[in-house]
Amino acid sequence: MTASESPAPAGRVRVMLVDDQVLLRTGFRMVLAAQPDMEVVAEAGDGVEALQVLRSTAVDVILMDVRMPKLDGVETTRRICAEPDPPKVLILTTFDLDEYAFSGLKAGASGFLLKDVPPGELLAAIRSVHNGDAVVAPSTTRRLLDRFAPMLPSANTEPQHKELGRLTDREREVMMLVAQGLSNGEIAARLVLSEATVKTHVGRILTKLGLRDRVQVVVLAYETGLVRAGGHG
């Protein structure tokens, strides 16, 4: 029995590759094919094709290029994430501070990766977003948001979001640390809490604010002024 004929392991992550560079898709496909818990179920060379394929293919995680013909990755991500129960999207960028990265996160992406990401980091990122975590390194988050600070509210403005008032003091504290890019484990160590307790707090924050994942927490925290670019962290 060949590997392709062997039974698929439970919980296998179904991945879609969306990029107009065939060689890049081939490289990613080879890396993913070697993993027992992943499989590439679809590919597309542009956003229009990706949307068409998704109508008939179940996908868990999408690796999405931003610069593509017909429909770019940001708008494609926005349309995908507007659908009920959408797959997770990881934006692929050429540069660490690609101007599309922040737009991709706002559009609903769960994080972004450099196209030359080492295989181990690529696989870890796919598994992380599949499990509901964000993939934006703390240092990159801060530099990204510092760069795009002019697009965000003035530091003199008070936090504005009608649901922020529903958060407890502890939840606001956790939210601010999430916004700085800290993992649940790092937040637990900082606040002297168990990781399970932090995960519970994060879940309540997402529910109260109507947010999908940690990346949306980061964006909202900066947009509302709860955390200032260049300030905390």
Side-chain angles (χ1 to χ4, degrees):
M1 178 178 290
T2 66
S4 61
E5 294 170 333
S6 60
R12 175 174 275 190
V13 183
R14 298 164 296 186
V15 181
M16 180 178 187
L17 308 176
V18 183
D19 196 297
D20 59 343
Q21 298 180 43
V22 176
L23 283 177
L24 186 137
R25 297 204 312 265
T26 300
F28 280 172
R29 185 171 64 247
M30 290 174 62
V31 171
L32 299 182
Q35 303 306 305
D37 61 337
M38 297 183 191
E39 64 176 324
V40 176
V41 296
E43 296 185 29
D46 59 66
V48 171
E49 183 182 1
L51 294 174
Q52 292 173 340
V53 171
L54 282 171
R55 294 192 187 108
S56 58
T57 307
V59 174
D60 298 312
V61 178
I62 301 173
L63 298 182
M64 178 78 71
D65 186 23
V66 285
R67 293 181 175 88
M68 296 183 295
K70 298 183 181 178
L71 193 66
D72 67 42
V74 173
E75 180 58 29
T76 304
T77 297
R78 184 175 293 110
R79 296 187 189 184
I80 290 171
C81 293
E83 295 294 322
D85 194 25
K88 304 289 186 180
V89 178
L90 272 171
I91 293 287
L92 296 172
T93 66
T94 305
F95 303 105
D96 201 4
L97 288 180
D98 190 294
E99 67 266 26
Y100 289 103
F102 186 69
S103 297
L105 297 181
K106 286 187 58 113
S110 294
F112 64 92
L113 296 169
L114 296 179
K115 285 192 174 184
D116 60 357
V117 60
E121 291 183 22
L122 171 68
L123 298 171
I126 292 172
R127 292 184 180 107
S128 291
V129 297
H130 182 58
N131 291 331
D133 292 328
V135 180
V136 187
S139 60
T140 303
T141 301
R142 285 192 286 271
R143 285 186 289 114
L144 180 72
L145 292 167
D146 285 349
R147 171 167 174 172
F148 290 100
M151 299 166 52
L152 305 174
S154 164
N156 296 321
T157 60
E158 288 300 313
Q160 295 294 323
H161 189 282
K162 60 183 180 180
E163 303 301 331
L164 284 179
R166 298 180 57 196
L167 299 181
T168 64
D169 289 343
R170 177 64 87 186
E171 287 166 353
R172 286 171 72 95
E173 193 173 14
V174 170
M175 180 176 178
M176 290 175 67
L177 294 176
V178 169
Q180 293 173 48
L182 273 66
S183 68
N184 285 351
E186 291 167 336
I187 294 172
R190 179 80 62 90
L191 300 180
V192 195
L193 299 170
S194 72
E195 195 165 341
T197 298
V198 172
K199 187 172 183 179
T200 297
H201 283 312
V202 172
R204 288 174 179 165
I205 292 167
L206 296 177
T207 299
K208 288 183 178 181
L209 300 182
L211 303 177
R212 185 189 61 254
D213 56 32
R214 299 168 75 95
V215 168
Q216 290 195 334
V217 172
V218 173
V219 173
L220 178 65
Y222 278 81
E223 285 188 325
T224 60
L226 182 65
V227 174
R228 320 293 190 198
H232 292 280

